[in-house]
Amino acid sequence: MKISVLGCGRWGSFIAWYLARQGNDVASWGPEEDYSYRILKETGKNEYVTLDKKIQLTCDLEFAVTRAEIIVISISAQGLRGFMKRITAYPVQDKMFVLCMKGIETGTGKRLSQILTESGISPDRIAVWVGPGHIQSFVRGEPNCMVIDSENVSLKRELVHAFRSDLIRFYYGDDLIGTEIGAAAKNVMGIAAGALDVLCVPLKGPLMSRGAREVARLIRAMGGNELSAYGLAHLGDYETTLFSEFSHNRRYGEMLAKGQRFDKLAEGVATSKAMRLLGQEYGVELPITEAVYNVCYGEGDDCVRCREEIGKLFQRSTKAELY
């Protein structure tokens, strides 16, 4: 199967490595000026993976998208809409698209699959691939479970059977709204977890429970199945987000609580802003999300803000646990 992976950063380079390992004809695209692309071009590897020599590394976007049967996209979520304008300049309407990325557009609250649809791609040709697992673990041969979801039942079944291996056990998703919102929202909870680690506040158990419940309420209000919040895309990804040393979002929260800056991408920052917008639009209380947003976008001493936001959560009025 001819597959092009657009984006050769941390996750994109792993996806190219993984799909080539499955025997697919893989091309890996990145912008010529990008460091991630240059290091792969010059050395054939990065800090995470060594690419199979059969993988075609290219900075020619037209070549990458026109050669492929399946186009996998793995870039920053906030850059997707602009990137799709470049992709749709070529004849790609008959391609299958797989989004291996997690996020919600900040200005609109749109899910990533919605951005593709608004860019002219049929919903029947769009799938998302999300779930737990860190590259550092996968390349050591440590298996995990993930989910592929789509409005097109035949497409997600085809992809699951094509991509499954002894390294990743895939499940069929059956709630695209819940899968996408849950996958994005777990990064917000990761930032909260990092702050708790620094402040030595033993609240990760409540964070897991209350965080999943908060996300479930939002999914339900948006028309999805609230049980999706307890599936692989959200709760299932907590271990690799709330506890792992490799989690960018947990690390961001940790450094924020120390008054330091994390210089790598933490999608949870923008996602907290987008979820806050959705909470307002759908009339859903999102107290943990609100706290993370206030910490990420507020002014003043970061550590003080973290402690203040935890205090505010404890001052909220008493409610039934599963309201």
Side-chain angles (χ1 to χ4, degrees), residues 61-83:
L61 184 60
E62 180 178 10
F63 166 76
V65 298
T66 55
R67 70 174 289 281
E69 301 166 76
I70 298 175
I71 297 173
V72 178
I73 304 179
S74 180
I75 64 169
S76 169
Q78 303 310 316
L80 181 60
R81 189 177 294 274
F83 190 47

Side-chain angles (χ1 to χ4, degrees), residues 100-173:
C100 290
M101 45 197 293
K102 303 165 184 176
I104 306 166
E105 192 172 45
T106 54
T108 64
K110 293 295 178 70
R111 294 177 286 112
L112 304 185
S113 66
Q114 289 178 302
I115 294 174
L116 261 65
T117 300
E118 291 177 359
S119 300
I121 306 302
S122 169
D124 283 343
R125 308 196 74 81
I126 301 169
V128 299
W129 169 358
V130 296
H134 279 301
I135 297 159
Q136 294 91 335
S137 300
F138 280 131
V139 297
R140 290 198 297 260
E142 299 172 9
N144 216 317
C145 301
M146 304 187 82
V147 60
I148 291 179
D149 209 340
S150 173
E151 292 183 8
N152 184 337
V153 174
S154 296
L155 175 59
K156 64 187 170 189
R157 289 186 176 275
E158 178 182 346
L159 292 172
V160 163
H161 287 281
F163 291 173
R164 65 184 180 181
S165 72
D166 57 353
L167 194 58
I168 301 179
R169 173 178 169 81
F170 285 101
Y171 286 83
Y172 308 120

Side-chain angles (χ1 to χ4, degrees), residues 31-321:
E32 188 173 16
E33 68 278 5
D34 185 69
Y35 172 78
S36 297
Y37 172 79
R38 293 203 314 271
I39 194 70
L40 286 173
K41 187 69 174 177
E42 292 168 6
T43 68
K45 62 182 180 179
N46 57 24
E47 60 183 306
Y48 306 107
V49 296
T50 299
L51 293 185
D52 191 302
K53 295 186 185 303
K54 293 182 292 186
I55 296 174
Q56 299 181 69
L57 194 62
T58 181
C59 59
D60 185 338
L61 184 60
E62 180 178 10
F63 166 76
V65 298
T66 55
R67 70 174 289 281
E69 301 166 76
I70 298 175
I71 297 173
V72 178
I73 304 179
S74 180
I75 64 169
S76 169
Q78 303 310 316
L80 181 60
R81 189 177 294 274
F83 190 47
M84 286 305 299
K85 291 180 180 177
R86 296 178 60 191
I87 292 174
T88 54
Y90 307 109
V92 296
Q93 281 67 28
D94 63 338
K95 310 290 185 181
M96 291 183 284
F97 283 81
V98 181
L99 294 169
C100 290
M101 45 197 293
K102 303 165 184 176
I104 306 166
E105 192 172 45
T106 54
T108 64
K110 293 295 178 70
R111 294 177 286 112
L112 304 185
S113 66
Q114 289 178 302
I115 294 174
L116 261 65
T117 300
E118 291 177 359
S119 300
I121 306 302
S122 169
D124 283 343
R125 308 196 74 81
I126 301 169
V128 299
W129 169 358
V130 296
H134 279 301
I135 297 159
Q136 294 91 335
S137 300
F138 280 131
V139 297
R140 290 198 297 260
E142 299 172 9
N144 216 317
C145 301
M146 304 187 82
V147 60
I148 291 179
D149 209 340
S150 173
E151 292 183 8
N152 184 337
V153 174
S154 296
L155 175 59
K156 64 187 170 189
R157 289 186 176 275
E158 178 182 346
L159 292 172
V160 163
H161 287 281
F163 291 173
R164 65 184 180 181
S165 72
D166 57 353
L167 194 58
I168 301 179
R169 173 178 169 81
F170 285 101
Y171 286 83
Y172 308 120
D174 59 3
D175 173 28
L176 189 58
I177 292 173
T179 297
E180 289 191 271
I181 295 297
K186 65 92 186 178
N187 286 330
V188 177
M189 303 305 156
I191 293 175
L196 293 177
D197 284 341
V198 171
L199 300 175
C200 299
V201 181
L203 289 174
K204 276 193 176 177
L207 174 63
M208 294 172 69
S209 175
R210 301 312 305 158
R213 189 68 199 134
E214 178 172 312
V215 173
R217 292 198 303 270
L218 179 60
I219 289 171
R220 181 176 61 188
M222 294 178 67
N225 183 346
E226 66 180 288
L227 292 178
S228 295
Y230 309 105
L232 285 169
H234 186 70
L235 185 61
D237 208 354
Y238 268 18
E239 187 273 333
T240 49
T241 304
L242 271 61
F243 296 94
S244 173
E245 63 179 303
F246 302 128
S247 170
H248 280 190
N249 291 282
R250 193 206 61 80
R251 183 66 172 154
Y252 180 94
E254 178 184 317
M255 295 186 71
L256 189 69
K258 292 178 179 178
Q260 300 172 355
R261 285 288 174 262
F262 183 59
D263 59 1
K264 295 183 178 180
L265 177 66
E267 289 279 12
V269 177
T271 302
S272 71
K273 187 174 184 179
M275 283 182 63
R276 183 172 183 263
L277 176 67
L278 289 172
Q280 293 169 347
E281 179 181 347
Y282 287 94
V284 179
E285 280 191 297
L286 304 173
I288 299 173
T289 298
E290 189 77 27
V292 172
Y293 170 82
N294 290 338
V295 168
C296 290
Y297 289 95
E299 297 180 355
D301 185 281
D302 293 335
C303 186
V304 171
R305 282 206 316 281
C306 288
R307 291 190 180 277
E308 288 178 345
E309 291 301 324
I310 293 173
K312 289 179 184 177
L313 289 172
F314 273 81
Q315 292 162 14
R316 297 177 69 242
S317 61
T318 305
K319 295 176 174 63
E321 182 184 12

